[in-house]
Amino acid sequence: MSPARPVVCCDLDGVVWRGADPIPGAGQAIEQLRAAGLRVGFVSNNSSQPLGEVTAKLAAAGIPASAEDVVTSALAAAALLASDLQPGAPVLACAGPGVVEALTAAGLRAVDRPPAAGVVVGMHRDFDFDELDRASAAVRGGAHFVATNLDPTYPVPGGMIPGSGAIVAAVATAGGRVPEVAGKPERPMVDLVRKRLGPTGVVVGDRPSTDGAFASALGWPFALVLTGVTRPAPPSGGESIPNPPPPFVAADLATLAPTLLDAVVRR
């Protein structure tokens, strides 16, 4: 029996889209990879959206996908907490609806204020002082403190916006504790991707500090695209191409796809 072909684990923000705008050629590139017999999974540190919204956004970009194809840091955070807390335990979700959905699916109870046995901090745009007060109070009270991820920014059309890491930093400072991190490149996401997508693959992403480190943690090759936060001359708040560079570097996913096919399918 021939070995299974590797799965292509593709990041979303900065690879498939920037904000609401699909990146040109990304949908056709994924179709090309699938046509060659490769499974494409979508592995994102952005925890803000429920899985149905992620798959709907993929469909709008011309990329059919099911919830089984998508792994987010919200799922990793919920799995981490479910392994530690009792079923039905209250978890303060200082995060978006994607985290609330993941906590509920994992058998936990999402709340918005103490008392709480756990606290999850993730990306959401309505974070304010009152929420910082509630979340940090729960952290100081001893709740299991989990960050979905520490990405400081997310790429959007025209630049970048603050990411989950910026919100986590505020809660950690006020709470006086360092969180356990669930998303890329940490172990909870590594374990979840191996379980849901397979034992071998390649990681495609735009951020070496998370996507590249995630590939290293998996023991898989890293393919860097330059449509997100990384540039040869990095923008403020962005990243530069590592030296030495990863095995694959391409301007965008459309340029990368034929190179991946040569390396994986036609080798």
Side-chain angles (χ1 to χ4, degrees):
M1 180 181 296
S2 60
R5 286 179 174 174
V7 63
V8 179
C9 289
C10 190
D11 188 25
L12 291 173
D13 293 290
V15 177
V16 175
W17 51 58
R18 291 185 69 102
D21 296 345
I23 292 173
Q28 293 88 336
I30 290 168
E31 182 179 2
Q32 184 180 8
L33 294 170
R34 287 172 165 172
L38 296 179
R39 182 180 183 187
V40 179
F42 303 97
V43 182
S44 176
N45 261 357
N46 191 335
S47 65
S48 60
Q49 293 181 305
L51 293 179
E53 291 185 15
V54 177
T55 57
K57 189 173 178 180
L58 283 164
I63 306 167
S66 69
E68 288 71 30
D69 297 321
V70 180
V71 181
T72 70
S73 61
L75 296 175
L80 175 60
L81 282 164
S83 70
D84 178 62
L85 302 178
Q86 294 295 317
V91 177
L92 194 154
C94 179
V99 166
V100 173
E101 176 187 70
L103 290 172
T104 302
L108 300 169
R109 179 165 56 90
V111 299
D112 61 5
R113 63 189 64 249
V119 173
V120 181
V121 180
M123 174 64 182
H124 58 303
R125 293 188 180 224
D126 53 356
F127 179 67
D128 60 16
F129 184 87
D130 288 341
E131 191 173 22
L132 171 60
D133 182 26
R134 296 193 300 270
S136 60
V139 170
R140 289 192 302 273
H144 187 163
F145 181 20
V146 171
T148 60
N149 66 292
L150 298 181
D151 292 47
T153 57
Y154 289 112
V156 296
M160 288 177 277
I161 59 173
S164 176
I167 301 172
V168 172
V171 176
T173 298
R177 287 171 51 206
V178 175
E180 192 170 1
V181 182
K184 295 182 288 188
E186 303 302 331
R187 176 56 57 181
M189 186 69 107
V190 169
D191 292 342
L192 191 59
V193 163
R194 288 193 185 279
K195 177 181 178 181
R196 294 189 54 169
L197 298 180
T200 62
V202 57
V203 173
V204 179
D206 69 307
R207 188 185 291 272
S209 64
T210 53
D211 299 314
F214 182 57
S216 294
L218 284 162
W220 297 358
F222 176 45
L224 173 64
V225 294
L226 306 181
T227 44
V229 302
T230 300
R231 296 283 193 279
S236 178
E239 298 188 17
S240 58
I241 299 172
N243 186 19
F248 306 97
V249 180
D252 52 30
L253 193 55
T255 306
L256 174 66
T259 304
L260 282 183
L261 290 176
D262 284 337
V264 173
V265 176
R266 301 169 187 146
R267 60 185 176 183

